[in-house]
Amino acid sequence: MDENTSYCEPADTTPGPTAVEGPYAECVLCRQPTEYPESTKGITLCPVCEWREAERTACSG
């Protein structure tokens, strides 16, 4: 082992998923388009409803 050898794996530099092209899933609460594709399984919420749901379920301390 020499000075230039690292124990750590190099960081992954591959680009992440690109923006979804095509139809978007509807929010299950307000029916507005979400940031998720229609093929997303489970409950899909728009950003506003996601925020409200997070506020509602957050620990109030």
Side-chain angles (χ1 to χ4, degrees):
M1 190 173 231
D2 63 6
E3 294 175 358
N4 297 328
T5 305
S6 173
Y7 288 106
C8 298
E9 292 290 323
D12 184 14
T13 58
T14 56
T18 58
V20 177
E21 297 293 330
Y24 293 97
E26 286 185 346
C27 176
V28 296
L29 299 176
C30 69
R31 312 299 275 176
Q32 294 296 314
T34 66
E35 298 173 338
Y36 306 105
E38 280 187 345
S39 61
T40 302
K41 295 188 188 314
I43 296 173
T44 54
L45 299 173
C46 69
V48 173
C49 290
E50 278 186 13
W51 182 265
R52 288 182 182 154
E53 186 67 15
E55 285 181 328
R56 189 181 70 76
T57 60
C59 177
S60 60

